[in-house]
Amino acid sequence: MISLSLNIQTLVVSVCVGLLVYYVIKRIRYRLPPGPWCIPIIGNYQIYSAPGLHRKVAELSKTYGPVVRLSAGPSAWVFLNNNEVVLEALVKRNTDFAGRTPFPSGEMFTDGGKDIALSTFTPTWRFHRKVAGKALRHYLQGDLLENMIQDNMTKFLDKMAKERGPFEFNNYANLIVFSQLYTICFGEKKSPDDPEVKSLLKLDEELVETWGVGVFMLFEDVFPYLKDIFPSKTWRKLTKITEDLFKVIRAKFYEHKATFQSGVNRDFTDSLLTARQEAENEGDEETLEKLDDTYLIQTIMDIFLAGTETTRFTLDWFINFMSGIPEFQSKCQEEIDRVVGSDRISMKHRNALDFTEACLFETWRRASLVALGIPHATMCDTKVGGYDIPKGTAVFINIWALHNDPKYWKDPEKFDPYRFLDQNGKLKATKPESWLPFSAGRRVCLGETLAKPDILLMCANLLQRFEIRLPPGVKPQLGGRVLSDGIDIPVDYKIVVKERQKEIKI
Ligand code: HEM
C-alpha cells in the first residue's frame, strides 16, 4: 500500500517537474505572445468555456495587445485582434498560417479531415478546394443563379405575403436558404413545406447550437482523451447529429451516383461526379484515389453547411436592420424601384444597387457572422506581431474585433452603410481596411464569389416585394445576442409585411 502511494507520488511529482521543465524551455526558446494568468493544465477555462469568446478576447487585447495567448488544457490558442497582425499572418506569411488544427470534434465530423473547411493545408486539400471551386463557379455562368434565386424566392415570398400578423422572419430565412442550397447541391426544387428540408434544417440548428460555427469549444476538444473514457452529453449529442446529417447527404449522393449521366450537369453533386469521370477517362489513378465517395460526400456537406449557416444568419440580420431602421429600407427601395422597376431583379442590376449592397456589407461588418473564423494552425515555427508562434499552434482570427476596431470604424456599434460609399453614392472602389467578413489568404471563404451576388439578389427581392416593419409600438433591438461560440444572432424579433409590388414581371 505504502509503496503504491509512493509510486503515485513519484509519478505526480515527475509529471509536474516534466511540465515545468517543458514550460521553462518553451519560454526560453520562444518569445510567446502575452495572455492572462491561468491554472496549470486546466488553462484559461473561465474565459474559453463561457459564450461570447470573441468579445472577451477583444477586451483582453486592450491589456495585452493585438496578439493574445490563452491556454486551453495542454494547448496554446493564439488570437489575432487587429487588421495589421491579421494581414501579416494571412497575407504576408500566408502558407505559415494556412493549416487547421485536428480538433477531435472536427476529426470526428470529417472522417479524419477528408473535407475542405477543417482539413489542414496539404496537396489533397488544395486539390479538393480546386474541384469544389470549379463546381461552384458553374452557378455564376449565364442566368443560372438568378433563375434559381427567383424561382426559390417567389415560392417563399408568396407564402410570406399571406401572413396576416406579426411573424418571425428567421423561420423564412432558414427555409429560403436551405431550399436554395438543396437545389444547388442536389438539383431538386423544394416546396416551402417540404418535410425533408425541414428535418435537415432542424438537424443543422441543433448542430450550430451544439458545436457553433467553426469554433471548437467542446470539452473533448480541449482534453481529447475525455471522449474515449468519459464522453460528455454534448459529445454524444454531436455524434448523433453527425450520423443523422450524413445519413441524408450520403443517401442523396448515392441516388446521384446511380442516375449520373455523362455530359448532363444537374447540380453541384454532378459537377463532382464529372470531375471523377474525367479522371477515370484519363486513367489518372492518383487523382481518382482522392475522389473517392467519402471525400466527395464531405465536400458536399461542407458546401451545404458553410453555405446555409452563413447565408441564413445574413438574411436574418439584414431584415433586423432594415425593419429597425426604416429610413435605410426606404432608400434601398427607392434605388431598387429606380434601377429595376417592376422587372425581375437580375445580375445585370447588381452594379447599380450600390446603396442596397452597402447595407449588406454593413450587415456583414456589424453582425460579424463567423466572429472567430475557422481556427487556423501554423504549419511551421513562425512569427506575428513580433511574437514567436510555434508550429501546430491554433490561431483564431478575431473578425469581430477587426469589425469593431474604433481606429477604423467611427461609432462601431452604429449601423451605417455610408461607410462603404463614396461622395457620389457609389460603392468605394477599394474595400475598406479592417473589413474581412470572408477572411483572407489561402483559406479565404470558398463561397465568397457566389455568396456576394446571391445574397444581394435575395435581399433586393425581399425589399422589392415588401415594406417590412416592426409591429406597431415595438422598439428596434439591433445589438444581437450570443447564440454559441463565435456567433451572434439578432435578439428575437417579429415583423409585419405589406406588399409593395404584386406584379413583378417573370
Ligand atoms: C454570408 C456569407 C459567408 C460568410 C460571411 C463566410 C465566411 C467565411 C469565413 C470567415 C471562413 C473562414 C476562412 C478562414 O479560415 O480564414 C469561411 C470558410 C469557408 N466558406 Fe464561407 N462564408 C460565407 C458563405 C459561404 C458560402 C455561400 C459557401 C459555399 C457555398 C461557403 C463555403 C466556405 C468554405 C468551403 C470554407 C472553407 C475554406 C477553407 O478552409 O479552405 N461560404 N467562410
Side-chain angles (χ1 to χ4, degrees):
M1 195 64 186
I2 292 172
S3 111
L4 181 70
S5 79
L6 265 178
N7 279 345
I8 292 175
Q9 269 181 16
T10 318
L11 185 73
V12 171
V13 171
S14 315
V15 169
C16 291
V17 171
L19 281 172
L20 192 69
V21 171
Y22 172 74
Y23 179 79
V24 171
I25 292 177
K26 216 165 170 186
R27 278 277 158 185
I28 294 170
R29 189 167 159 213
Y30 296 111
R31 185 176 176 249
L32 298 174
W37 181 89
C38 68
I39 307 163
I41 314 248
I42 305 282
N44 300 99
Y45 175 72
Q46 75 290 5
I47 299 175
Y48 65 72
S49 64
L53 184 61
H54 48 291
R55 288 168 192 268
K56 273 185 266 165
V57 175
E59 200 50 42
L60 286 173
S61 75
K62 289 183 189 156
T63 309
Y64 296 101
V67 187
V68 175
R69 181 167 148 272
L70 292 184
S71 294
S75 325
W77 292 351
V78 168
F79 294 78
L80 306 183
N81 293 285
N82 77 14
N83 194 45
E84 290 72 21
V85 290
V86 167
L87 293 186
E88 182 189 340
L90 299 187
V91 181
K92 188 174 163 207
R93 304 182 197 272
N94 52 20
T95 308
D96 291 6
F97 285 86
R100 297 277 193 227
T101 308
F103 284 104
S105 59
E107 290 286 288
M108 186 265 288
F109 196 82
T110 62
D111 222 331
K114 294 198 169 68
D115 77 327
I116 298 168
L118 304 185
S119 75
T120 199
F121 184 69
T122 59
T124 306
W125 165 83
R126 202 197 292 256
F127 171 77
H128 282 284
R129 198 177 145 110
K130 208 168 133 199
V131 171
K134 188 175 166 207
L136 280 180
R137 279 194 297 280
H138 171 72
Y139 289 93
L140 294 171
Q141 288 162 12
D143 50 11
L144 205 60
L145 184 67
E146 64 198 50
N147 285 343
M148 192 190 302
I149 294 172
Q150 282 295 347
D151 231 47
N152 187 42
M153 292 289 286
T154 307
K155 285 184 289 200
F156 286 95
L157 300 194
D158 286 351
K159 194 170 152 76
M160 237 168 97
K162 294 195 185 110
E163 294 280 359
R164 287 291 159 258
F167 64 96
E168 285 181 358
F169 173 71
N170 76 340
N171 294 331
Y172 280 94
N174 294 348
L175 287 171
I176 290 172
V177 172
F178 253 73
S179 301
Q180 187 164 317
L181 259 293
Y182 198 95
T183 313
I184 291 182
C185 289
F186 309 120
E188 290 165 51
K189 292 178 180 161
K190 292 289 186 181
S191 82
D193 298 309
D194 186 85
E196 191 176 26
V197 171
K198 284 192 170 164
S199 73
L200 258 178
L201 175 59
K202 191 164 168 290
L203 280 172
D204 179 60
E205 281 173 344
E206 285 176 13
L207 182 74
V208 174
E209 274 167 38
T210 317
W211 204 23
V213 171
V215 182
F216 309 95
M217 295 298 157
L218 261 60
F219 228 55
E220 288 76 359
D221 288 323
V222 181
F223 304 103
Y225 45 85
L226 281 183
K227 71 181 192 329
D228 301 317
I229 49 172
F230 191 59
S232 64
K233 204 170 149 203
T234 318
W235 177 270
R236 281 180 275 131
K237 190 171 171 197
L238 180 64
T239 316
K240 174 81 176 75
I241 300 170
T242 306
E243 279 165 16
D244 292 349
L245 265 174
F246 274 97
K247 208 183 279 171
V248 182
I249 304 292
R250 221 177 272 124
K252 300 287 344 153
F253 175 79
Y254 286 122
E255 258 172 55
H256 267 69
K257 204 172 147 182
T259 53
F260 176 69
Q261 279 178 290
S262 173
V264 181
N265 191 337
R266 295 166 293 181
D267 44 48
F268 182 81
T269 304
D270 272 358
S271 296
L272 298 185
L273 289 169
T274 304
R276 178 149 83 187
Q277 191 171 58
E278 281 166 8
E280 256 163 26
N281 294 345
E282 286 163 21
D284 184 347
E285 288 302 322
E286 202 189 323
T287 303
L288 267 174
E289 241 172 66
K290 291 184 203 150
L291 286 168
D292 75 10
D293 290 355
T294 314
Y295 276 106
L296 297 191
I297 291 166
Q298 284 288 344
T299 297
I300 297 167
M301 184 65 98
D302 258 7
I303 297 303
F304 198 75
L305 292 185
T308 49
E309 283 161 7
T310 47
T311 310
R312 70 193 174 92
F313 291 132
T314 304
L315 283 189
D316 198 15
W317 272 110
F318 181 81
I319 294 302
N320 184 49
F321 291 129
M322 291 296 108
S323 54
I325 318 175
E327 313 82 273
F328 287 154
Q329 183 183 152
S330 305
K331 246 184 119 39
C332 290
Q333 283 158 337
E334 276 163 30
E335 180 178 75
I336 294 166
D337 292 349
R338 179 169 39 80
V339 174
V340 188
S342 59
D343 281 353
R344 228 174 72 129
I345 300 176
S346 71
M347 287 293 218
K348 71 171 189 279
H349 301 119
R350 186 185 168 195
N351 292 337
L353 293 174
D354 296 77
F355 191 81
T356 312
E357 194 155 19
C359 287
L360 176 59
F361 286 3
E362 176 68 345
T363 298
W364 280 329
R365 183 195 69 82
R366 261 297 314 275
S368 298
L369 304 170
V370 195
L372 286 172
I374 303 176
H376 289 231
T378 41
M379 300 295 295
C380 52
D381 281 4
T382 183
K383 280 184 182 299
V384 67
Y387 296 104
D388 293 323
I389 313 291
K391 180 180 175 179
T393 306
V395 178
F396 293 74
I397 313 300
N398 194 345
I399 295 176
W400 187 90
L402 264 63
H403 289 177
N404 285 277
D405 187 343
K407 182 177 158 198
Y408 291 97
W409 308 102
K410 190 167 171 269
D411 300 328
E413 284 294 308
K414 194 171 154 200
F415 182 92
D416 179 6
Y418 291 101
R419 303 176 198 273
F420 293 86
L421 297 168
D422 64 17
Q423 61 274 40
N424 303 316
K426 302 299 279 171
L427 274 179
K428 284 181 182 158
T430 50
K431 181 184 83 54
E433 286 186 289
S434 205
W435 184 69
L436 280 187
F438 297 92
S439 191
R442 292 262 193 257
R443 288 288 187 160
V444 67
C445 170
L446 183 61
E448 178 176 358
T449 42
L450 180 75
K452 280 184 172 160
D454 180 30
I455 302 178
L456 177 67
L457 294 197
M458 287 165 124
C459 293
N461 259 286
L462 275 156
L463 298 187
Q464 183 189 37
R465 175 108 178 234
F466 296 115
E467 186 184 287
I468 302 173
R469 295 283 181 265
L470 293 173
V474 173
K475 287 213 172 76
Q477 294 203 63
L478 307 177
R481 68 181 171 90
V482 174
L483 172 69
S484 55
D485 279 301
I487 315 170
D488 289 350
I489 57 167
V491 175
D492 290 344
Y493 69 102
K494 289 187 175 173
I495 52 166
V496 283
V497 295
K498 195 167 117 202
E499 278 195 277
R500 302 178 63 243
Q501 296 192 23
K502 280 193 184 149
E503 298 299 325
I504 295 174
K505 292 176 202 155
I506 302 293

